[in-house]
Every structure is written in C-alpha cells, then in structure tokens.
Amino acid sequence: MLYHSTNNSAHRVPLKEAILRSLPPDNGLYMPDTLPTLGADFWKIWRELSFQEIGYAVAEAFFGEDVPEDALSEIVDGTLEFDAPLVSLTPQDHILELFHGPTLAFKDFGARFMARLMAHLTKDEDRMLTVLVATSGDTGGAVASAFHKVPGTRVIILYPKGKVSGLQEKQLTALGGNISALEIDGTFDDCQRLVKSAFLDRELSESLNLTSANSINLSRLVPQSFYYIHSARQVEAEPVFVIPSGNFGNLTAGLLAHQLGLPVKKFVAATNINDVVPAYLKSGDYQPRPSQATISNAMDVGAPSNFARMKALFGDSWDAMRGKIEGYAFTDEQTRAAVREVKSTFDYNIDPHGAVGWLAAQAWREEHPGDTTITLETAHPSKFLDVMEQEIGAGIVDIPERLAILADKEKVALPMPADEKIFRDHLVSQA
Ligand SMILES: *Cc1c(COP(=O)(O)O)cnc(C)c1O
C-alpha cells in the first residue's frame, strides 16, 4: 500500500516512510492511497468476534500488504492487553471506557500500536530510532509507557515546566531506561517549536534517525478504530458515537471504522469552548485560533491537527461532512454541572472530558429521542482529581494502583531554556 499527502496526491510513499516520517514534507497529512474496507465475510460474523480478532482484521486491512501476519498479530495482541468496557447508564446512553491502559487515557491504544509497529519497521536496522515528542499532558505519558524498554528505540519528551499536573509529570520523568525528559522553561508551543526545529534540520534529523509520535501519525489512528467496532457490536441499534475532541484523531479513527463498513448513524464532535470544528459544521467557515485553557485541558486545541484528514475523507465537501458529523460545544460551568449530575443520577464518576461528551449525547438525544449513543470516556477521572473533588467531594474517586505508585517515584528531568541552539546541542551530544 502507498500513502499520499492530503496536500498532494502525487506525493506517494511506502508504509515505512509514512510512519517513520510522520509528516509529508509539504505539511499535509499521510492518507492511505485506497481506503480499506472489511468484506461481507467480516460483517457476517463481526458481533461474535473478540476485541483482538476485530483488531487483527482492521490492522490487516490497513497494513496486511506490508507487515507479515505473525508480526501483525503480535503487534495487535501487545496493544490490546486491556479491555475497553461499555457501561450502560440507561439502555440508550452508553459510556465506552477507554482508560484501562497503563497511563489511564485512550492514547495508550495508539501509542502502544505505534511503538510496536515502528519497532517492527526498523528491526533490521542497526541504528537507534529516536522519538521526539512535545506534550502538554497525556500524550507524553502514553508514548513513554509504550516505548519503555522497546529495543532499538529511545524517547525524548519535551514538556513545559510547571504546566503539567504532578502525576502527569511523574508519568513522563520516572520511567528511566530509554526514556528521557526535558523540562522546558516555556509553554507547550515552545516545546512544539523546538521539536519542529529538529525535524526541519535535515542533517540532524538524519543523523539521529528522528521520528515523531503525535497524533498526526497514521499508526496512532488505526488502532483507535478497533474500539468503535468492538463497542458497536454490543448494542443492537445503529449507534451515534459521541467523541470528546481536541486534535480530532479519535473522531478521525471513527470515520476510518465507518469507512471499513461499520454502520454508524452519526458522529457527534463534542468540544469545550475551543469549538473551531463545531463552528465550522454550523457555518462552513473554518477559523483556527489560539486555544483557551479549560478544565478539559486535553481538548484545548485551537487548530486541530487532524482536520485535513477529516476534510479529505469527505472529499472537501462541507455538506458531506455535516451530513455525518454534528458538533456541540460546552463551557466549564456546564461541564462541572454534568460531572455532578452524572454522579447524582447514575452514581458514575465521569471525568471532565467524558462529561463534555455526555452533555453532547444528551443534546443529541433530546432532538433524536429514539437514538442510542455511545460516548467515549477518554480518561480516568483520577487524572483530573482537582476538578472531581471540587464537584463530587474528596475521597470518592479511586486512584488506580498504577497511578498511585508514581507519587513516590523520583522525577528525573533535564531543565532547559526554550532555546533552539541549546536544544540542538543537547541532541547532538546524544548522537
Ligand atoms: C487527547 C485527549 C482528548 C482529545 O483527543 P483527540 O484525538 O486529540 O481529539 C480527549 N480527552 C483526553 C483525556 C485526551 O487525553
């Protein structure tokens, strides 16, 4: 299979380049030349299949031409070492819990698959693969955990000093081994700028064998389609999927699942006040802008990086896109009220990101009372303990063991000013 850039369908590269390079030189995003579908044989038996079997069928549809069967099933099995249970608040109102992985966010699915696929694609090279990742919170932890101890790889994480939560910081800085962290005296945007400068430096990028791990990488999206199919098979009606969104990787993965043949009535894009996509769906006018801070901070994105893929999937047609996707946006005040309401009505602890989704699901079903919604719960509520305790009280949200033990681990990070030259010198010293 070849992959082309959303900016230029004539720029085509093989799988290895699309995954390791992550971003085409023209700043588009890689898409498969032909979008795969799963055949009638699959859709005859899909409700009977296990999560792993679904994962394997999807991975094969995308990567089967390029990755041998045994390697691919190892990658899928290694990714899916935990479940994604569906919890029913009412017979029509379902929550898909995507936080049962090692770092308690849905990003574990994509990061674990990507790490294993990259290790496979580079297994015959004697050069170390260096993964650079800038993070404002969840991505860095998921990537660090996914690549930890993967032979032939190392990860360098850049995070903004004082701007990630204490436990998030430990997820980035306490693993050791092939994972190292740079604590940048600046903002998340500074971290991203430093990472970009390293990629633009061709010589440096070649000599260090650099690759990127953010959600523009296609290999993070494909495994996220697994759980759309896995959850849809557990409800009878054609579901409406509600996706709390920031960079829209998760929603794009849902579109890929639909493209594979999964019946989906509608996708609902749920955002906080960073509502660039819901506003576009209403007006047809796409206006990216600087992000604003909210309590659902993993969705504080003003220029969603997967928007180009969404547009490409609908042939650049606004009408086609809004035929399949509806958008809703909510304020922090509404989100806090939803956290309280879900607790008092259903005795369920929903985190602020999931709460934005739950609000959108209610809004949708108000207009379409017969519909069944599946809302993606993207993180465990203990990751946002401050907000949870403010709304539902202290000592109510359990902190899972794998998060709790981090509190006593030692933070190891190299402090660094947000300076391209100093960053470059550091990378060279690591070559
Ligand atoms: C990353 C993240 C999101 C946003 O996902 P996108 O794929 O970027 O839209 C939502 N919730 C949580 C908890 C996240 O970590």
Side-chain angles (χ1 to χ4, degrees), residues 87 89 93-97 99 244 295 334-344 346-362 375-385 387-389 391-392 396-397:
V87 173
L89 301 181
D93 187 359
H94 305 274
I95 304 284
L96 176 59
E97 292 186 343
F99 54 68
I295 57 167
Q334 292 172 304
T335 307
R336 287 178 182 277
V339 169
R340 294 193 300 269
E341 189 182 342
V342 172
K343 182 65 183 176
S344 63
F346 304 107
D347 195 24
Y348 185 81
N349 300 333
I350 200 161
D351 100 289
H353 303 78
V356 169
W358 184 80
L359 283 167
Q362 310 316 299
T375 301
L376 276 53
E377 170 54 315
T378 47
H380 191 280
S382 64
K383 284 195 107 169
F384 304 93
L385 205 56
V387 176
M388 296 308 295
E389 293 194 336
E391 300 312 320
I392 64 173
I396 291 179
V397 173

Side-chain angles (χ1 to χ4, degrees), residues 105-107 138 215 224 244-251 298-299 351 353 378-379 384:
F106 81 90
K107 291 188 173 72
D138 282 344
S215 75
Q224 290 173 195
S245 294
N247 271 318
F248 284 80
N250 220 359
L251 196 144
M299 314 197 308
D351 100 289
H353 303 78
T378 47
F384 304 93

Side-chain angles (χ1 to χ4, degrees), residues 23-73:
L23 204 64
D26 62 13
N27 250 325
L29 297 176
Y30 283 118
M31 287 293 271
D33 249 6
T34 38
L35 283 168
T37 54
L38 287 166
D41 285 352
F42 177 87
W43 295 111
K44 227 179 280 162
I45 54 164
W46 69 293
R47 285 179 188 273
E48 266 58 67
L49 299 176
S50 68
F51 198 7
Q52 281 76 10
E53 287 166 332
I54 290 168
Y56 184 69
V58 173
E60 222 235 322
F62 279 91
F63 305 126
E65 273 177 35
D66 299 292
V67 182
E69 200 176 312
D70 54 342
L72 204 52
S73 62

Side-chain angles (χ1 to χ4, degrees), residues 310-325:
M310 292 167 63
K311 263 179 64 180
L313 284 166
F314 290 103
D316 272 340
S317 158
W318 171 58
D319 273 324
M321 193 190 288
R322 70 193 180 123
K324 203 69 214 176
I325 309 177

Side-chain angles (χ1 to χ4, degrees), residues 46-47 84-98 224 226-245 250-251 254 262-270 350 353-354 356-362 364-365 370-378:
W46 69 293
R47 285 179 188 273
L86 194 66
V87 173
S88 305
L89 301 181
T90 75
Q92 285 171 274
D93 187 359
H94 305 274
I95 304 284
L96 176 59
E97 292 186 343
L98 298 175
Q224 290 173 195
F226 302 172
Y227 46 69
Y228 283 89
I229 301 176
H230 175 57
S231 60
R233 80 192 173 85
Q234 299 170 59
V235 298
E236 265 168 42
E238 193 171 279
V240 173
F241 278 103
V242 185
I243 302 107
S245 294
N250 220 359
L251 196 144
L262 178 70
V264 177
K265 182 157 185 211
K266 198 87 173 185
F267 291 94
V268 172
I350 200 161
H353 303 78
V356 169
W358 184 80
L359 283 167
Q362 310 316 299
W364 174 268
R365 286 205 320 280
D371 282 5
T372 295
T373 54
I374 297 178
T375 301
L376 276 53
E377 170 54 315
T378 47

